[in-house]
Amino acid sequence: MVQLIDELQWRGMIQDIMPGTREQLEKEMTTAYIGFDPTADSLHIGSLVPIILLVHLQKAGHKPIALVGGATGMVGDPSGKSEERNLLGEDVLLHNVACVKKQLERFLDFNSDAPNAAEMANNYDWFREISFLDFIRDVGKHITVNYMMAKDSVKKRLEGEQGMSFTEFTYQLVQGYDFYWLYKNKNCKLQMGGSDQWGNIVTGTELIRRKCGGEAFAFTCPLIKKADGGKFGKTESGNIWLDANKTSPYQFYQFWLNANDSDAADWIRIFSFLDQPTINTLITGHQADPSKRILQKALAKEVTCFVHGEEEYHKAVETTVKLFSNADAPAESLSESDLQEMEGVITFHYDRAKIEAGTDVLSFLTETGCFPSKGEARKMIQNGGVSINRKKLESTETKLDLTFLLHNKYILVQKGKKNYYLVTMA
């Protein structure tokens, strides 16, 4: 068996670990789980770390359980949050759970006959049968309020202006019961998660000890941060989703390609499955000539192939080459097929009659959806951040007419350095 803890430690993927966890993993095939939040119908790249942890676990010969929180999604986890989130209805949650399950099946082996084949679980399956009175009698009595109040996630919320609802306060008991249920019914002895979940996780190990005298284990990985202080996984256009319909493979590829040197060196350990010598060679090569962006290209390739497959990765590279490698060439040099085959570039349709009549550029940029408002478009044009057909817009008073059309049909808009939009006249 691969030594899982050693593998994760050199990758920088372990922060807190309960005593005895390494020994348990070295002793026998161990069943372990991670919870996934079904508050959307797709996971985003913040979910990649737990997914990758489960993949490493399975590769090391252990059995992963992916727990989708159909019940806990109705409650809301206060960990790492400053205010209570909106609670979703049962129909929406069940739809989200089904979508998340389908995504997870792309990364883990659920179908083989191997003893460590992955399993899915939904905590709604056991919580829907439990009454409130049963829960406070059979679970609540084992964990004191003092114990719950001592958790950092609870302390921070109680000290803030927003406070904390009873619903959120009980979350750690609900998550703790998940671990207990999986321990009793699936022989699950290990829970993993982000470092913000440590308090919730150890509540589960404590509940297992107090209710049945069992021994359970845990470790967490650090929360991913960006060197510039920005929030990981967020761009000006929002979350980076794993669903290609929400974030195209091209946009996904660009996110990783645009990582700065410091982040790329950390992220390639965490988000790829390349071995240590290979990664060390990449880092050395990158340091010798950072302008070649060897690390970023390797990182973007590995993660895009993992999430979207090799074919979509190659399409993303082709689009990148067309857009950036010869960026000084006039847009007129791009063939119609070049424009049509730019996978992942956001496309909009626009009324041809408006172009024939002549339309002001601010109306065009907002009506197509390139910008949410004329004010934002005006500001970016004034700062030199908008190009039409690879020519920088010099004035907010520009009028667009038929002479701007490429192949009598298209206008290529660039917003900032990396955001491209192809507008087709309809």
Side-chain angles (χ1 to χ4, degrees):
M1 257 186 199
V2 175
Q3 298 303 318
L4 179 65
I5 299 302
D6 290 340
E7 176 74 14
L8 296 178
Q9 280 179 330
W10 80 257
R11 291 183 181 276
M13 296 181 75
I14 291 188
Q15 178 152 325
D16 302 299
I17 184 166
M18 193 167 281
T21 301
R22 176 191 288 273
E23 291 75 11
Q24 168 61 36
L25 288 165
E26 292 175 355
K27 180 175 70 174
E28 61 187 3
M29 184 187 82
T30 301
T31 301
Y33 91 96
I34 294 181
F36 292 88
D37 180 0
T39 48
D41 59 4
S42 170
L43 298 171
H44 50 76
I45 60 171
S47 312
L48 269 180
V49 173
I51 289 170
I52 287 169
L53 281 174
L54 289 177
V55 173
H56 279 299
L57 181 92
Q58 192 168 41
K59 282 175 178 277
H62 303 288
K63 184 178 180 68
I65 294 178
L67 174 69
V68 184
T72 37
M74 297 181 185
V75 177
D77 178 9
S79 301
K81 298 176 179 68
S82 59
E83 59 184 38
E84 187 158 357
R85 68 184 178 191
N86 294 326
L87 305 184
L88 302 177
E90 185 175 340
D91 289 347
V92 175
L93 272 167
L94 291 177
H95 167 74
N96 292 352
V97 165
C99 293
V100 168
K101 179 178 179 181
K102 192 173 179 182
Q103 284 187 327
L104 290 171
E105 286 172 344
R106 301 202 321 247
F107 306 113
L108 295 161
D109 173 16
F110 288 90
N111 302 315
S112 74
D113 296 327
N116 71 326
E119 289 186 27
M120 291 289 301
N122 180 353
N123 60 10
Y124 187 65
D125 291 343
W126 51 85
F127 272 111
R128 65 182 168 195
E129 306 295 336
I130 301 175
S131 73
F132 177 69
L133 292 176
D134 287 340
F135 189 75
I136 59 174
R137 183 193 65 199
D138 296 338
V139 180
K141 70 178 183 181
H142 293 286
I143 304 293
T144 67
V145 171
N146 304 50
Y147 179 87
M148 295 170 73
M149 295 275 285
K151 298 295 168 60
D152 284 342
S153 59
V154 174
K155 277 184 187 174
K156 287 175 184 173
R157 284 292 298 275
L158 290 177
E159 290 166 1
E161 290 181 16
Q162 181 76 16
M164 186 182 208
S165 69
F166 175 74
T167 302
E168 285 191 299
F169 183 59
T170 59
Y171 185 90
Q172 63 174 290
L173 281 184
V174 174
Q175 185 172 327
Y177 186 79
D178 285 342
F179 199 175
Y180 168 77
W181 191 94
L182 291 170
Y183 178 88
K184 289 284 287 181
N185 294 276
K186 299 286 186 181
N187 192 33
C188 180
K189 295 181 179 179
L190 171 65
Q191 185 181 172
M192 306 174 290
S195 58
D196 61 334
Q197 292 294 314
W198 181 251
N200 293 334
I201 292 172
V202 297
T203 297
T205 63
E206 188 67 9
L207 190 61
I208 289 166
R209 185 183 70 79
R210 294 185 184 186
K211 267 185 75 67
C212 58
E215 187 177 23
F217 305 93
F219 68 80
T220 63
C221 57
L223 297 180
I224 308 299
K225 295 178 180 175
K226 293 174 73 174
D228 63 8
K231 188 169 183 181
F232 172 75
K234 289 279 190 182
T235 66
E236 62 183 43
S237 55
N239 282 326
I240 305 295
W241 300 96
L242 303 191
D243 184 337
N245 294 317
K246 290 177 178 287
T247 299
S248 72
Y250 163 76
Q251 292 168 304
F252 186 88
Y253 173 78
Q254 283 295 319
F255 172 82
W256 302 100
L257 193 64
N258 291 327
N260 67 37
D261 292 349
S262 175
D263 287 336
D266 292 335
W267 293 354
I268 199 161
R269 294 184 180 96
I270 295 168
F271 293 103
S272 85
F273 294 93
L274 298 174
D275 60 27
Q276 195 167 6
T278 302
I279 288 176
N280 289 341
T281 300
L282 284 168
I283 290 173
T284 302
H286 181 83
Q287 289 169 341
D289 187 356
S291 67
K292 290 184 178 177
R293 299 180 68 76
I294 293 171
L295 263 184
Q296 285 88 343
K297 289 175 183 176
L299 171 67
K301 176 182 179 180
E302 291 300 314
V303 190
T304 305
C305 286
F306 178 62
V307 173
H308 293 294
E310 199 165 333
E311 184 179 347
E312 292 298 332
Y313 157 71
H314 287 301
K315 287 180 182 177
V317 172
E318 285 173 19
T319 299
T320 301
V321 169
K322 287 173 184 174
L323 288 174
F324 301 115
S325 291
N326 196 18
D328 293 331
E332 289 76 10
S333 67
L334 293 169
S335 70
E336 188 167 2
S337 62
D338 283 341
L339 292 167
Q340 290 173 339
E341 292 167 11
M342 284 181 176
E343 292 284 339
V345 174
I346 298 170
T347 57
F348 294 116
H349 293 280
Y350 194 67
D351 185 352
R352 184 183 182 89
K354 291 185 178 181
I355 292 290
E356 289 174 347
T359 186
D360 68 277
V361 72
L362 294 177
S363 296
F364 172 80
L365 291 173
T366 51
E367 289 170 8
T368 53
C370 297
F371 284 87
S373 69
K374 288 186 179 180
E376 192 171 318
R378 180 182 290 106
K379 185 177 179 182
M380 201 154 192
I381 292 170
Q382 290 169 342
N383 290 332
V386 181
S387 294
I388 298 286
N389 296 339
R390 289 187 168 170
K391 297 182 183 73
K392 188 172 290 186
L393 269 178
E394 302 294 345
S395 170
T396 58
E397 305 299 320
T398 301
K399 294 279 186 184
L400 301 184
D401 55 30
L402 292 175
T403 63
F404 281 81
L405 298 187
L406 303 172
H407 304 288
N408 199 32
K409 191 175 181 181
Y410 308 99
I411 291 178
L412 185 64
V413 180
Q414 183 180 357
K415 172 182 168 184
K417 288 185 177 179
K418 303 294 182 182
N419 297 306
Y420 278 84
Y421 308 89
L422 184 65
V423 182
T424 305
M425 302 309 128

